Amino acid sequence: MNDRLSLEGLRYVAAVHRCGSLSGAAREFGVTQPALSTAVRKVEEFMGHPLFERSTQGVAPTPFGGTVIGLIEDAVAAADRVAAASRRGKAAPARLAVGASPLIPHRLVERLRHAAAAHPRLGADALVLHEGDLMDLQLRLDSGDIDTAIVPAVLPATRYRKREIGSEAMRLVDAPGRSHPGTAPVTTDEATARTLVLVAPTCGLTAFTEALFRAAGAPLHEHPRRAASYRVLEDWVSLGLGSAILPESKATRPDLVGHDLVDSDGNPVIMRYRAYWRDGSPMAPVIDEVMLALDEDA
């Protein structure tokens, strides 16, 4: 039996009950179904009884589950209130904690900083920036460590409020050579002839690239190893390991050959960036107003 009860596991149990299925709860949290199922089973082991009857039609509470799931939901809500009170007690007022994917272009961060500085409840130096990968930022957003996360628009995070805050064109980067001469635009279909070097699935770039090729119905030919960070993708390209797809602001090496990436109709392929925040966050009204100011400034 487990000797510890995980708050994350309790959140998952509440989500399974709310969604009526393990798959629906997994989508809500942006995790894999096996990972969520394992966490739920650990709670059941701690309790000593199954909480759900599982079937091909979904899940339903067991008699025992029916007696405790309401208590679990109350416990999760209470933990959120405690975390919010703790943040209010420890943090100085008029601070906005923002988690950012490393892919976010500097100009977007600066626009957000200016919008925060102009807000009457915030002011100069109010924005506290934390960089992290997607999973880390999502966990910190759920725990209340950050007020909002600005990331590529790849999160299946339906439980958050969200707003698009910017976008940029994508570039396909080649090493100089005869195989891909010139700097003409490259379509997604044409890119299937390249071997692409991808990054570990942390910052959102690989999720974007895979979704792009999937939507186009085009095969993705990937180098067998992945880079640890998007920052070294151009180094891998220069070594002749393949081509890379990067946001325009991250394709910086002048010794490489850059192409605009376009769809089959010749339209630029765009990466969109979003801000996500919890509706119940004490800072939600401020974030709403800051994001509205961003829209007006765009």
Side-chain angles (χ1 to χ4, degrees):
M1 176 184 292
N2 294 325
D3 59 0
R4 296 183 62 189
L5 192 58
S6 159
L7 179 58
E8 179 184 58
L10 295 181
R11 292 187 190 280
Y12 289 165
V13 168
V16 170
H17 183 240
R18 183 169 62 253
C19 297
S21 71
L22 293 165
S23 60
R27 284 193 299 272
E28 180 176 307
F29 275 89
V31 299
T32 65
Q33 184 174 329
L36 182 135
S37 182
T38 297
V40 171
R41 288 193 184 280
K42 286 182 179 179
V43 175
E44 292 177 319
E45 290 171 8
F46 181 91
M47 297 287 186
H49 298 279
L51 299 176
F52 298 105
E53 296 282 356
R54 296 155 171 86
S55 72
T56 55
Q57 283 74 44
V59 298
T62 62
F64 176 75
T67 66
V68 300
I69 288 176
L71 297 175
I72 289 173
E73 292 170 336
D74 290 343
V76 170
D80 287 342
R81 290 194 296 272
V82 169
S86 175
R87 290 193 302 276
R88 288 193 296 270
K90 292 188 295 185
R95 303 285 278 183
L96 185 64
V98 177
S101 161
L103 280 183
I104 299 297
H106 179 73
R107 59 180 173 78
L108 263 185
V109 176
E110 282 304 302
R111 283 182 55 219
L112 182 60
R113 189 186 303 276
H114 291 153
H119 191 278
R121 286 185 55 190
L122 297 174
D125 301 320
L127 189 145
V128 181
L129 196 64
H130 306 268
E131 186 176 287
D133 63 39
L134 291 184
M135 182 60 70
D136 172 61
L137 294 179
Q138 196 167 2
L139 290 173
R140 297 183 75 173
L141 190 60
D142 287 338
S143 69
D145 278 352
I146 57 175
D147 300 306
T148 182
I150 52 176
V151 297
V154 297
L155 284 183
T158 57
R159 68 185 186 279
Y160 301 126
R161 300 185 70 168
K162 54 185 178 290
R163 184 185 293 271
E164 188 172 315
I165 60 170
S167 62
E168 65 178 319
M170 302 299 287
R171 300 276 283 169
L172 187 140
V173 180
D174 287 324
R178 299 182 193 172
S179 55
H180 308 301
T183 57
V186 172
T187 68
T188 308
D189 287 339
E190 291 169 339
T192 62
R194 267 86 158 168
T195 296
L196 293 179
V197 289
L198 300 182
V199 66
T202 54
C203 63
L205 181 57
T206 292
F208 174 88
T209 302
E210 291 173 338
L212 173 66
F213 279 77
R214 189 164 53 246
L220 172 60
H221 299 295
E222 178 185 349
H223 187 273
R225 297 189 65 184
R226 290 187 174 185
S229 163
Y230 82 87
R231 293 181 175 91
V232 299
L233 284 181
E234 288 186 304
D235 294 335
W236 284 39
V237 172
S238 70
L239 293 172
L241 299 181
S243 304
I245 292 176
L246 285 162
E248 189 173 36
S249 64
K250 308 304 180 187
T252 58
R253 283 186 54 161
D255 58 319
L256 301 178
V257 180
H259 308 265
D260 293 334
L261 188 62
V262 298
D263 62 21
S264 57
D265 296 323
N267 301 310
V269 171
I270 299 296
M271 175 176 277
R272 304 188 185 282
Y273 301 107
R274 284 183 187 155
Y276 294 87
W277 65 98
R278 294 179 301 117
D279 194 33
S281 165
M283 293 296 289
V286 173
I287 298 170
D288 278 334
E289 291 163 359
V290 168
M291 295 306 163
L292 181 60
L294 271 181
D295 280 350
E296 294 171 347
D297 184 51

